[in-house]
Amino acid sequence: RFLVYHLRGDRTLLATEQEYRAEISVPTSDGGSEAVRLRGFLDRIEQDSAGRTVAIDLKNIRRPASDASLPSHAQLGVYQLLLRENDAEVGGAALVQLRVPAAPGAADPKVQFQDALEAISPTWVEIELGQAAELLRAEGFVARPNDGCRYCAYQLVCPSRRQGEQVVP
């Protein structure tokens, strides 16, 4: 499926495993802003027919993200910010699901596309980064059960689970 995707020719490959860094200003809950440093390696950087840069993340998982989650997929949003902050005109981002066919029996992979971020700041991803930065700086983390719990190495000591409850007051 990777070769079928790679050879399809609707976008031009610009780079692979390219590192990007950026420092961006994100909004805070008090109406101010703070600087956040981002760094990431993008699997593929492609150029669309309009000359815009598109971030591509290759996935090798059995269960792809839901199509409904794509507009707010944080990883793709951060990749777009990294491209934008490195002076690229961004045309969106995509997950290429190498284990999942585009249609039953198809040779090509499922491609899940995220539209380009809004031109007006702050974008939804900048707002989420600001919230995450505030949470990290406050150092007050609340354990909340979620879909990732079944893979977590800390289940036995997690305060969100009965076996992880505090035993000494």
Side-chain angles (χ1 to χ4, degrees):
R1 287 193 187 107
F2 171 77
L3 286 176
V4 170
Y5 174 81
H6 179 72
L7 296 173
R8 70 186 201 171
D10 60 335
R11 287 190 290 265
T12 304
L13 178 64
L14 298 177
T16 60
E17 289 299 322
Q18 181 73 39
E19 180 182 20
Y20 286 88
R21 294 173 185 244
E23 186 168 304
I24 64 167
S25 179
V26 296
T28 56
S29 61
D30 63 4
S33 66
E34 69 176 289
V36 171
R37 283 188 218 139
L38 300 175
R39 175 180 173 233
F41 287 85
L42 281 66
D43 290 342
R44 290 173 63 97
I45 298 91
E46 299 176 357
Q47 186 175 53
D48 67 14
S49 60
R52 300 173 304 173
T53 306
V54 179
I56 303 296
D57 191 47
L58 302 173
K59 293 293 189 192
N60 191 25
I61 56 177
R62 288 195 171 112
R63 289 196 183 123
S66 70
D67 290 336
S69 73
L70 262 289
S72 61
H73 193 279
Q75 182 180 11
L76 294 180
V78 168
Y79 286 171
Q80 288 197 62
L81 283 180
L82 283 167
L83 289 174
R84 182 189 77 189
E85 294 301 311
N86 281 274
D87 298 322
E89 183 183 348
V90 183
L95 299 174
V96 176
Q97 303 291 347
L98 298 175
R99 282 189 161 193
V100 181
D108 55 327
K110 179 175 184 167
V111 177
Q112 297 175 292
F113 194 80
Q114 182 183 71
D115 290 332
L117 294 175
E118 309 86 39
I120 299 170
S121 280
T123 63
W124 62 268
V125 71
E126 290 166 300
I127 292 168
E128 285 189 17
L129 283 169
Q131 293 168 346
E134 284 185 298
L135 178 67
L136 289 171
R137 292 200 201 308
E139 297 181 6
F141 304 102
V142 177
R144 292 188 179 99
N146 62 62
D147 291 342
C149 289
R150 63 183 170 195
Y151 306 110
C152 182
Y154 301 100
Q155 289 184 46
L156 291 176
V157 295
C158 181
S160 74
R161 297 183 171 268
R162 177 125 179 94
Q163 69 269 22
E165 289 179 349
Q166 185 171 339
V167 293
V168 178

